[in-house]
Amino acid sequence: MPDEWVKCDGLASRASHTKDLGNALLMAGTLGLLGSIAESGSKAHYREVGEAGIAACTTVLASGYFDDGGSWERHVNILRARAIHYLEVKNGDAALADLQKIDEVAGSHADDIFYQRSLGLSVKYLEGVALIMNDNADAARGAFKAFSDMRPYSKNLQSLGLKYMTDDRLAVIERMVRLDSDYLYLHATLLDIQDGQEVKAAENWAHLVAGGFRKKASYKTAEMQESFSGLVSAKDIQIITTSDPVTIGMAAIAAARVGQMAQAEAFMEQAKTTLVGAPEKQNDREDIIRRLRRLSTDNAEDLVGMQDVLVKAYGQYYNRDLVGARDTLVSSSKKFPVWPALLDLLEKLQRIIPEENRLGLMKVDVEAAWFKLRNTKAFSNKTGKNFVTSLFERLPSLEKKSQMNSYSGKVWFFKGSGFSEKELGKDRYEIKFVGDVSSRTVVEELSLLRAADLARQSKKTGFIISDITNYTRTRYSTYNGVRMGAGTPAGYMTSLTVTFVDPDKLPDRWIMHKGRILMTDKVWQDLSSVYVKSKN
């Protein structure tokens, strides 16, 4: 029967299933299972999936081990594991039944703030997935919103919530932009397709150009690909001196869409200039813009050419040359990507030009195209088996205040956990937090708490994150300097590069990124109430 525990939830925790408490504590301490660091100690390759996983969990639950009411932590974890397995086989009702039992088993522990922000949060998310399967979209929306609102300072959890967001997804992306500038592209693109957000979209594309953001050449973050169904990787963008020509062209058509023709034409000239000296055939197969807009070419020069055509058509439209705008669009020999600005212009022209005078692109069913674009599968309610299985690792496990790293204290020679910081310049710091027993989400939040604490000491009311990196730490044994074995989990580390600012007195270089400011007092109040006050 012990094997069934690992088959059920993948945790290497057989020792904690024995009633020999001394051995359980010894082994659990060795494996790192007493704290939420257990998430890095799971043996996912031993875990069964689907019906086999359900059977393994059912065997454990029927074993009588939990009959005396003890080991409630293991009991709730097994229930959560079986609920996920039920979701794998699309049985939303059975998943909801197990999820409803979890708080009952936890009893008074369910009132603890750490429980609510970890296992309770996982339950809320899984309820949302089950409700989606049961076609209860309204209730699911409430569950996912509650999930995202509870821990707004975690990139991992915010991106996880985004998968099922519809009406609230823009608000979630705005949070993510404050945590990591890599989400600026996704933010601008979502603004493009939101009704009534055209001006804000144009501003965001302009900020991307002014900030020198551009795509990387490769796409490697499979975890984020699953979350956004291939829309955007959290590590696809880097800050350099000049934006790539396609990004500048996107800014041009966003400006043209709202009638800012002087700005649009200036951007197009910049895009063409940036193309000079570029390879004649630049392979953009992994380009973020191509993936977002399903572009029909892998040639950057062709893309900029199509953007130029669209900007010219907008100029003719705003000069009341409707026939000229129509002819400019339909004369292009290229198949346009489904850009929101293109649909917007076609919609405007169709309102004025009689149906018998429409040619080529002018005959497109704009309403159907808008519906398809705004209901992209990236935010669909379908649940792939691989994604559901990933929830074992991505959703927070049970956190307990007695089993996590304390906020107070710096890392030093005999103390491997805590915070450290290095001054990089005036009001600019690199901040790190290392945790050896806390979950990755806790470590991420503690690093932000330290940033807010330092900003308070500097009497700055806000701070901007220019870089955030989360690390998984592994401890290795060595023999004569040679690494031996696969290593054991040693916790997590988050590294931040931050600049402290006053929102009302921003330097010129930060004005374009005002929307990325985290307010010092807000972050401090939200996180210190959990990690400082609740620890006293």
Side-chain angles (χ1 to χ4, degrees):
M1 199 279 291
D3 286 343
E4 302 305 312
W5 295 81
V6 180
K7 291 178 181 178
C8 172
D9 63 2
L11 289 178
S13 53
R14 298 184 193 178
S16 65
H17 309 142
T18 177
K19 293 189 178 181
D20 183 344
L21 181 60
N23 288 339
L25 290 175
L26 175 62
M27 285 299 293
T30 302
L31 295 172
L33 295 170
L34 290 179
S36 46
I37 195 65
E39 64 189 55
S40 67
S42 65
K43 293 189 175 182
H45 52 293
Y46 290 143
R47 186 193 306 119
E48 299 284 5
V49 297
E51 295 289 356
I54 293 169
C57 294
T58 301
T59 298
V60 174
L61 291 168
S63 67
Y65 180 80
F66 301 120
D67 289 350
D68 60 1
S71 300
W72 69 271
E73 296 101 325
R74 292 298 303 151
H75 195 172
V76 295
N77 281 336
I78 294 296
L79 284 169
R80 187 186 83 145
R82 190 167 71 170
I84 295 176
H85 289 307
Y86 276 129
L87 294 177
E88 287 178 324
V89 299
K90 311 295 184 183
N91 191 338
D93 288 331
L96 285 171
D98 273 351
L99 294 170
Q100 288 167 1
K101 295 175 187 174
I102 289 179
D103 282 355
E104 297 174 15
V105 171
S108 61
H109 299 287
D111 297 327
D112 181 77
I113 183 62
F114 291 96
Y115 175 98
Q116 293 169 1
R117 299 178 83 249
S118 56
L119 189 66
L121 205 56
S122 294
V123 170
K124 186 66 67 178
Y125 186 90
L126 295 172
E127 284 177 350
V129 177
L131 289 166
I132 284 288
M133 288 182 177
N134 289 354
D135 294 322
N136 192 343
D138 289 340
R141 179 192 174 192
F144 291 127
K145 187 175 187 306
F147 173 85
S148 291
D149 289 348
M150 177 63 83
R151 298 186 86 160
Y153 302 110
S154 167
K155 283 199 310 176
N156 173 51
L157 299 186
Q158 290 301 305
S159 66
L160 196 57
L162 183 67
K163 180 177 177 67
Y164 294 105
M165 291 293 187
T166 51
D167 297 338
D168 305 301
R169 65 189 183 189
L170 193 57
V172 174
I173 284 295
E174 287 173 352
R175 286 178 184 162
M176 295 171 74
V177 165
R178 294 186 185 98
L179 297 173
D180 194 330
S181 62
D182 289 354
Y183 295 102
L184 284 167
Y185 266 91
L186 185 55
H187 189 209
T189 303
L190 288 181
L191 286 170
D192 269 344
I193 65 176
Q194 296 290 317
D195 192 24
Q197 296 288 338
E198 296 85 356
V199 172
K200 192 170 183 181
E203 292 174 354
N204 272 38
W205 283 110
H207 292 170
L208 283 166
V209 173
F213 291 87
R214 70 185 298 172
K215 58 92 182 176
K216 284 185 179 178
S218 61
Y219 181 59
K220 299 178 180 178
T221 313
E223 183 177 284
M224 299 309 297
Q225 183 179 20
E226 180 66 30
S227 294
F228 297 141
S229 298
L231 270 186
V232 63
S233 162
K235 292 298 175 189
D236 259 357
I237 303 163
Q238 59 183 333
I239 302 176
I240 60 170
T241 306
T242 306
S243 296
D244 65 281
V246 175
T247 298
I248 302 170
M250 292 299 289
I253 60 177
R257 184 182 180 187
V258 294
Q260 299 172 1
M261 293 310 304
Q263 178 70 83
E265 290 165 1
F267 277 144
M268 279 314 310
E269 288 302 313
Q270 185 179 349
K272 294 173 187 176
T273 301
T274 307
L275 273 175
V276 175
E280 188 173 322
K281 289 285 185 181
Q282 178 181 340
N283 185 354
D284 284 319
R285 293 187 187 278
E286 299 297 335
D287 185 18
I288 209 170
I289 304 301
R290 179 176 184 271
R291 284 187 277 110
L292 287 167
R293 288 289 166 263
R294 300 179 184 142
L295 300 188
S296 55
T297 177
D298 61 3
N299 189 315
E301 189 171 359
D302 286 347
L303 291 177
V304 173
M306 286 186 282
Q307 291 166 333
D308 191 33
V309 168
L310 186 52
V311 168
K312 287 178 180 177
Y314 261 108
Q316 291 166 320
Y317 169 80
Y318 284 115
N319 285 326
R320 301 181 184 277
D321 183 5
L322 303 182
V323 174
R326 179 200 65 180
D327 292 345
T328 295
L329 287 178
V330 301
S331 65
S332 174
S333 60
K334 300 293 184 180
K335 182 180 178 182
F336 277 93
V338 187
W339 281 318
L342 174 64
L343 296 181
D344 196 42
L345 182 56
L346 291 174
E347 195 170 39
K348 287 180 168 67
L349 292 173
Q350 285 179 354
R351 289 176 190 152
I352 303 170
I353 297 177
E355 188 170 353
E356 61 269 20
N357 293 334
R358 298 173 190 173
L359 305 170
L361 276 175
M362 291 296 301
K363 297 179 180 180
V364 167
D365 185 344
V366 175
E367 185 176 350
W370 269 125
F371 179 83
K372 186 175 182 180
L373 191 62
R374 287 172 173 158
N375 291 274
T376 173
K377 69 176 184 177
F379 304 100
S380 75
N381 296 335
K382 296 179 181 179
T383 56
K385 183 178 290 187
N386 290 340
F387 175 76
V388 174
T389 302
S390 77
L391 298 180
F392 280 100
E393 281 72 42
R394 297 198 62 192
L395 283 173
S397 300
L398 178 64
E399 296 170 359
K400 301 173 70 174
K401 69 178 181 180
S402 60
Q403 297 167 358
M404 65 174 59
N405 294 104
S406 170
Y407 168 67
S408 61
K410 288 190 174 184
V411 172
W412 63 296
F413 187 73
F414 294 107
K415 183 176 180 294
S417 63
F419 59 79
S420 62
E421 61 259 352
K422 179 170 66 175
E423 189 170 2
L424 302 177
K426 180 176 173 54
D427 294 326
R428 190 164 179 263
Y429 286 82
E430 179 185 59
I431 298 169
K432 295 179 181 178
F433 196 95
V434 176
D436 52 7
V437 293
S438 297
S439 71
R440 71 188 73 197
T441 305
V442 168
V443 170
E444 189 174 34
E445 290 175 332
L446 287 171
S447 67
L448 284 162
L449 179 60
R450 182 56 183 166
D453 199 356
L454 279 179
R456 289 169 73 236
Q457 294 175 30
S458 300
K459 302 190 183 305
K460 296 293 185 179
T461 56
F463 60 96
I464 296 175
I465 299 173
S466 54
D467 183 68
I468 179 170
T469 307
N470 294 321
Y471 300 89
T472 298
R473 302 170 68 240
T474 304
R475 182 177 293 109
Y476 294 92
S477 297
T478 61
Y479 179 73
N480 288 336
V482 178
R483 182 181 295 177
M484 307 292 292
T488 57
Y492 302 95
M493 180 179 78
T494 294
S495 175
L496 300 175
T497 301
V498 300
T499 301
F500 302 143
V501 298
D502 287 316
D504 296 330
K505 302 176 182 177
L506 283 176
D508 290 344
R509 68 183 296 261
W510 289 117
I511 288 176
M512 71 186 74
H513 298 297
K514 190 170 184 178
R516 292 176 51 211
I517 297 174
L518 286 159
M519 302 309 295
T520 300
D521 286 345
K522 175 66 173 168
V523 176
W524 174 257
Q525 290 167 10
D526 289 348
L527 295 178
S528 68
S529 64
V530 177
Y531 295 115
V532 179
K533 296 177 184 177
S534 64
K535 293 285 285 185
N536 294 333

